[in-house]
Amino acid sequence: MKSKKIRRERIFVLGLVFSLLFSVLVGRLIYLMVIKSSNYKTLASQQWTKTLAISPKRGAILDRNGFELAQSMNVYRVDADLSVLKKYLVDKKISEELAVDKLSKMLNVDNKQVKKILDSQDTKGKPLQFVSLKRKVQKGAVDSIKSLKYSGIIISTDVMRVYPNDSFLSHVVGHTNSGENGINGVELSYNNELKGIPGLKVVQMDRSSNELPYTEAVTVKPVEGKDVTLTIDERIQELVERVAKETVTENRAKSVSITVMNPNNGEVLAMANAPSYNLNKPYEEGKTDEEIQEIWKNGVISNVFEPGSIFKVIVAAAALKNNVVSDKDRFVSNGSIKIGNKILYNDNKENNGIQTFSDIMKTSDNVAFIQLGQKIGKSNLYKFAKESGFGQKTGIDLPGESLGLMKLLNTITPLDLATMSYGQGVAVTQIQYIAAFNAVANGGKWIRPHVMKEISHLEESKKVVDKQFNNIDEKTIMSKEDAAQLRTYLERVVKEGTAVSTYMEGYHIAGKTGTANKVNTINGGYDSGKYVSSFVGMVPADNPKVTLMVTVEEPDSSKYYAAQTAVPAAHKLFSELFAILNIPPDKTSDTKKN
C-alpha cells in the first residue's frame, strides 16, 4: 500500500516536470515563432537574398546638331560576399594570396588594394560581409572572373561614362567621378538632370552567393537621366580648339582662351582653353591634386586679368550714354599727362596730336582716354561698368566663375579713374567681358551667356523637350544708336588701327586689341615681363551675327602685343567662320584705307 502511494507521487512529480518542460517548450516556440519571428525572418532573408543597386543610364551631352560629346555605356561591377568567398578558398585549399593575385590581374587593380578590400572591417573591427572589388568592369574581365568559379563573387550590371572625343570641349563638358556624379563643367551644372534615379533588384542567392535560376527578382526599374543639348557648334569648336593650340605653340604662351558667341541670344557657340585635358583620363600621373585642379579649371570663366585697352570700348560706351562726347569734340595728346604727382603715358609715349573721338579709338590713345574718363566722372563710369556686369558673376551655367575685381566707388581716386579709363586697376574674366561687348554688337542689350540649349528625354523613341534655356536676364545698358556708332569706330580699328592684321577684303569686321601687364595675385603689383594680350571682335559690323574673344596669357616676352599674338589668331578664326556661318563677302565693301 505504501509502495503504491510512493509510485503515484513519483508519477505525479514526473508528470508535473514534463508539464513544466512542455510549457517552457511551447512558450519558447511561441516566443520564437510569434514575438521574434520578424527578426529571424530578416536574418534568414539576409542570408539567402541580396539587394543590388541598379545604376541608371546617365543622360547624354550633345552639341546643338546632335553630335555626342558624352555618353554612358553598359558595363559590370564585381562585388564579393567575404564570408562565402573565404570559406570557399579554405574548402578548396586555395591560398588567399593566389586568389588576390588572380583577381588583381583580371580586374587590373593593385594587389595591395585587393588584399585591403578582402580584409575590410567595420568601425567596430568586425569583418564586413559584402564589399565592392571594382566598378565599371568590361565584359572581357568579367568573363575571366567567371572562369575562376569562385563562390562569393557577385557580378551585376553597371554603367560607365565615356567621352568619344577625349579632350574635345573638355572644360565645358567636364567629367564624372566613380559614382557617376559630375564634378566639373556641364556634368556638374546639370548633374541632377543627367544622373537619373537608381533602381533596386532583390535576388535570391544560393549558399555560394550565386543568383538562383528560375526565381523572380523584385525589381524597381531605374529612371534614366535626361539628355542635355548644348549651344556649342561642333564645327566651330573644332576650329577654336585648333587655333588655341596653335596660338599657344606659336607664342610660347602659358595658356590661350577663346570664346565664340551669338551676341543676340547669349548662346556660346564655342569655348576652349589650351592646354586642355583628356576627359577619359582626368587624373594625370605625376601631378599633384593642386596641379590637377588647375588643369581642370575653365580659364574663360575663372581666370581674372586686367583687360588693358579692350576696356576702352566700355569707357567709350559710358561716354556716349552720358552724353559727354560727340564727333565734334577734340582730344589733344602729346604722349603724357600728369595726374596728381604721377605722369601717365601712351604705350610708346607717342604724340598723336589733335584727335576726334573716333581717332582715339583707332590709335588706342591712353592720354586721350584719361581725358575722356575725366569727362565721364568716376560715378558715371563706375555705374556703367556695374551695369555692364563687371565686378560680378554673369551667372553662366558653368561652375567655377570668378567675380572679377572693381574698386568700391568711394575708394576710387583721380589716379584710379585715370588708369581705369585705359583698362588698368580693374580685373575681368573673358566671359564677363564678352557679355558686355555683346551689348555693343546686339544694339545695347546685356544678355546672360549660357551653354545649355535644351534638356530632353525619349518616350517611345520620340524626343520630348523638358526645358529650354530661358534665364537670359536681358537688360538694356545702352541705346541702339550709341551701339551702332561705337561699332563704326571699332570697324575703323580693324581697317586702320591696331587690329589691322584682322582685316579681310569684303568683310565688315569690328574689333579692339588690348595688352596689359599681368598682375601678381599673391604679392600685388605687376609681374615683370609677363603680359596678357587680347582681341575682341564681331562680324558683320553693321549687324553682328557672331562675336569672339581671344586671350593669350604670358606670351613670349619678345613679342607680346595683342597685334602680334591675339590678332593673328582672330584672323584665322574669322577666315573659317565666314564659311561655317555662311557669311558671304560684301562686294560693295570699301577697300582698306592706308
Side-chain angles (χ1 to χ4, degrees):
M1 191 72 179
K2 186 176 180 179
S3 60
K4 288 183 179 180
K5 183 179 179 182
I6 292 171
R7 194 181 303 120
R8 285 197 298 270
E9 289 176 351
R10 287 177 178 175
I11 292 171
F12 175 77
V13 170
L14 286 173
L16 183 62
V17 169
F18 279 117
S19 297
L20 288 171
L21 288 174
F22 182 76
S23 298
V24 170
L25 180 61
V26 170
R28 181 63 177 169
L29 288 173
I30 293 172
Y31 175 77
L32 294 176
M33 297 176 66
V34 178
I35 298 174
K36 297 291 288 184
S37 65
S38 60
N39 290 349
Y40 286 110
K41 284 178 182 178
T42 300
L43 290 172
S45 177
Q46 288 175 350
Q47 290 182 345
W48 57 268
T49 65
K50 180 168 177 57
T51 300
L52 303 175
I54 306 175
S55 298
K57 189 173 182 181
R58 193 172 175 86
I61 299 176
L62 315 163
D63 92 322
R64 65 188 305 116
N65 299 309
F67 179 77
E68 279 202 335
L69 304 168
Q71 60 190 31
S72 291
M73 61 183 291
N74 293 323
V75 285
Y76 301 88
R77 63 179 294 164
V78 179
D79 300 311
D81 183 328
L82 292 182
S83 60
V84 174
L85 175 60
K86 291 189 175 185
K87 183 177 184 303
Y88 173 84
L89 296 177
V90 171
D91 291 345
K92 296 295 182 179
K93 297 181 180 180
I94 300 171
S95 70
E96 189 170 311
E97 289 74 17
L98 178 62
V100 166
D101 185 61
K102 287 185 176 182
L103 289 170
S104 66
K105 288 178 180 177
M106 292 175 179
L107 294 171
N108 193 26
V109 177
D110 184 74
N111 277 47
K112 293 180 180 178
Q113 181 62 23
V114 174
K115 174 66 175 170
K116 183 178 178 181
I117 293 171
L118 295 185
D119 293 337
S120 296
Q121 297 179 338
D122 62 19
T123 55
K124 296 180 180 179
K126 294 183 179 180
L128 292 177
Q129 182 175 359
F130 291 105
V131 295
S132 175
L133 288 171
K134 189 177 181 181
R135 292 194 59 186
K136 308 181 192 311
V137 183
Q138 300 285 354
K139 186 177 185 299
V142 165
D143 290 340
S144 298
I145 294 291
K146 286 180 177 179
S147 69
L148 294 175
K149 297 182 179 180
Y150 284 177
S151 295
I153 298 293
I154 305 166
I155 294 170
S156 54
T157 58
D158 201 0
V159 293
M160 182 172 71
R161 197 63 161 171
V162 293
Y163 304 93
N165 308 286
D166 292 331
S167 62
F168 188 76
L169 196 64
S170 59
H171 292 103
V172 173
V173 172
H175 61 277
T176 61
N177 59 18
S178 59
E180 289 292 293
N181 283 304
I183 58 175
N184 63 345
V186 169
E187 292 279 33
L188 175 57
S189 294
Y190 292 98
N191 187 59
N192 289 339
E193 290 81 2
L194 288 163
K195 69 180 181 180
I197 302 173
L200 294 173
K201 182 180 181 182
V202 181
V203 296
Q204 296 181 15
M205 317 288 286
D206 64 16
R207 67 177 184 173
S208 298
S209 287
N210 296 312
E211 185 175 345
L212 290 172
Y214 314 116
T215 58
E216 185 176 350
V218 178
T219 303
V220 177
K221 291 184 178 180
V223 178
E224 292 189 356
K226 295 179 179 179
D227 297 334
V228 176
T229 299
L230 304 183
T231 59
I232 300 294
D233 187 311
E234 176 263 339
R235 300 166 301 167
I236 301 176
Q237 182 67 27
E238 188 280 327
L239 164 65
V240 163
E241 293 200 7
R242 172 162 42 88
V243 172
K245 290 175 185 176
E246 291 172 358
T247 305
V248 164
T249 302
E250 291 167 1
N251 295 282
R252 293 189 291 178
K254 179 181 179 181
S255 68
V256 171
S257 297
I258 302 175
T259 303
V260 179
M261 289 188 67
N262 180 338
N264 301 300
N265 59 14
E267 291 185 349
V268 176
L269 301 176
M271 181 182 286
N273 300 277
S276 59
Y277 73 100
N278 188 335
L279 292 171
N280 292 306
K281 299 176 181 179
Y283 297 93
E284 292 190 31
E285 291 186 13
K287 299 284 187 183
T288 65
D289 288 345
E290 187 175 301
E291 289 172 330
I292 289 172
Q293 291 293 330
E294 188 67 23
I295 292 169
W296 292 352
K297 189 170 69 173
N298 185 345
V300 170
I301 65 174
S302 297
N303 290 347
V304 176
F305 59 96
E306 284 196 349
S309 292
I310 59 172
F311 200 71
K312 290 170 182 173
V313 178
I314 308 304
V315 177
L320 289 170
K321 182 171 184 176
N322 287 282
N323 299 310
V324 299
V325 68
S326 72
D327 287 334
K328 295 179 180 179
D329 287 291
R330 296 295 179 266
F331 298 85
V332 180
S333 172
N334 61 8
S336 67
I337 186 172
K338 189 173 184 181
I339 305 294
N341 296 320
K342 190 171 182 66
I343 299 176
L344 302 176
Y345 299 92
N346 283 335
D347 186 47
N348 289 310
K349 299 184 180 180
E350 56 267 68
N351 183 342
N352 291 313
I354 301 173
Q355 301 174 94
T356 65
F357 186 26
S358 177
D359 290 335
I360 69 171
M361 184 68 77
K362 182 196 77 169
T363 60
S364 197
D365 192 298
N366 288 350
V367 171
F369 266 91
I370 291 171
Q371 296 169 15
L372 184 61
Q374 290 171 335
K375 281 176 171 284
I376 300 167
K378 73 173 186 179
S379 294
N380 288 332
L381 182 54
Y382 177 86
K383 181 181 178 183
F384 184 76
K386 294 295 285 186
E387 288 174 349
S388 301
F390 296 104
Q392 56 203 301
K393 295 180 180 181
T394 65
I396 188 172
D397 49 341
L398 287 172
E401 184 179 9
S402 298
L403 282 168
L405 179 65
M406 277 190 66
K407 293 184 177 181
L408 296 174
L409 178 60
N410 60 4
T411 68
I412 296 175
T413 66
L415 181 60
D416 292 331
L417 175 62
T419 57
M420 184 177 174
S421 297
Y422 58 83
Q424 285 188 357
V426 57
V428 306
T429 63
Q430 188 178 99
I431 197 65
Q432 198 177 60
Y433 184 87
I434 197 170
F437 186 73
N438 283 344
V440 179
N442 66 30
K445 295 178 180 178
W446 187 94
I447 298 174
R448 176 171 287 116
H450 58 278
V451 297
M452 185 271 276
K453 189 172 182 66
E454 64 182 25
I455 296 171
S456 63
H457 69 279
L458 293 177
E459 282 187 12
E460 298 178 354
S461 299
K462 291 183 179 179
K463 178 180 175 180
V464 177
V465 176
D466 300 286
K467 180 182 179 181
Q468 292 181 323
F469 191 89
N470 58 9
N471 185 27
I472 61 174
D473 194 26
E474 183 179 306
K475 56 186 177 184
T476 299
I477 62 173
M478 69 182 79
S479 69
K480 290 181 180 179
E481 295 74 20
D482 288 348
Q485 183 178 347
L486 199 45
R487 291 198 300 270
T488 64
Y489 295 168
L490 294 173
E491 185 174 7
R492 192 178 172 204
V493 172
V494 172
K495 283 186 175 182
E496 308 169 36
T498 55
V500 71
S501 296
T502 314
Y503 179 82
M504 279 178 261
E505 186 71 38
Y507 291 97
H508 294 278
I509 302 172
K512 185 74 185 76
T513 58
T515 306
N517 294 87
K518 187 175 180 182
V519 176
N520 187 313
T521 55
I522 298 174
N523 302 320
Y526 296 100
D527 282 329
S528 177
K530 294 182 179 180
Y531 302 89
V532 178
S533 306
S534 302
F535 172 85
V536 287
M538 62 182 81
V539 288
D542 58 340
N543 184 25
K545 292 182 173 59
V546 66
T547 54
L548 65 81
M549 184 168 179
V550 180
T551 304
V552 184
E553 182 184 9
E554 294 186 31
D556 186 338
S557 58
S558 66
K559 56 162 201 160
Y560 59 85
Y561 284 107
Q564 300 169 303
T565 57
V567 167
H571 186 276
K572 291 179 184 179
L573 294 169
F574 280 130
S575 63
E576 294 191 44
L577 275 172
F578 293 134
I580 293 173
L581 298 173
N582 194 27
I583 300 175
D586 181 359
K587 295 180 181 179
T588 64
S589 175
D590 294 333
T591 57
K592 182 178 69 174
K593 297 178 183 178
N594 295 312

